[in-house]
Amino acid sequence: ALPSFTAAYDGFINGDSATNLDTPVSLNTAATPGSPVGSYAINAGGTADANYDITHVNGTLTVTAAPLTVTAGSTSKTYGAANPMFTASYSGFANGDTAASLDTPVSLTTTATAGSGVGLYPITASGAADVNYTISFNAGTLTVNPATLTIRADDKTKVAGAPNPTLSASYTGFVNGDTAAA
């Protein structure tokens, strides 16, 4: 919202003050709550009093960038799977702005790949820019969870009294080119 405007007075005599004026000062601006970053005139006018020759001097309303925080959303995936779509949340938008309103959208990246081992990897938010916002970024976390691997002992038979056959197993679920030997 626009701030309350005030006026400063110079030249009163005999104990007079702004409350003694025949017509008080009118202060207004062309700026609105939705005005972009910039400087806007605060127009002073309309003041009248029979005892004073009044000169109005305009002031300046400076609209500064609003703070905006972009936070990368934390998510997870299974080892061997492609990285999921990353998301971000925003705190501080004004005037109905959304992520689509930004001059430059946020970029969400991680060092993790489909081959990255089980563990935690940062999701970095960066790059977002807009003249009306001072943007800060918070990282999220990508959690890589273990893939499911099933090891099944192969069925074998033998003749009574004969030595045991060579035992073996079958594997289901290896990813990223992994094998029992790796």
Side-chain angles (χ1 to χ4, degrees), residues 27-88:
L27 301 170
N28 60 62
T29 184
T32 66
S35 293
V37 167
S39 295
Y40 301 85
I42 301 172
N43 304 306
T47 311
D49 192 277
N51 294 321
Y52 294 96
D53 183 16
I54 299 173
T55 302
H56 295 97
V57 178
N58 292 338
T60 302
L61 172 66
T62 302
V63 177
T64 59
L68 176 68
T69 302
V70 180
T71 302
S74 293
T75 189
S76 64
K77 74 173 195 110
T78 302
Y79 169 69
N83 285 340
M85 178 73 72
F86 298 130
T87 61

Side-chain angles (χ1 to χ4, degrees), residues 92-176:
F93 277 125
N95 299 319
D97 286 344
T98 66
S101 306
L102 293 172
D103 294 336
T104 304
V106 69
S107 173
L108 299 166
T109 59
T110 187
T111 56
T113 65
S116 294
V118 169
L120 304 176
Y121 299 85
I123 300 171
T124 304
S126 64
D130 193 280
V131 68
N132 291 316
Y133 295 97
T134 300
I135 302 174
S136 60
F137 301 97
N138 293 323
T141 302
L142 173 63
T143 302
V144 178
N145 296 309
T148 300
L149 178 65
T150 302
I151 304 171
R152 183 181 177 281
D154 295 331
D155 293 335
K156 301 288 180 175
T157 58
K158 76 171 198 147
V159 174
N164 285 338
T166 301
L167 301 177
S168 61
S170 299
Y171 302 88
T172 305
F174 278 121
V175 295
N176 291 335

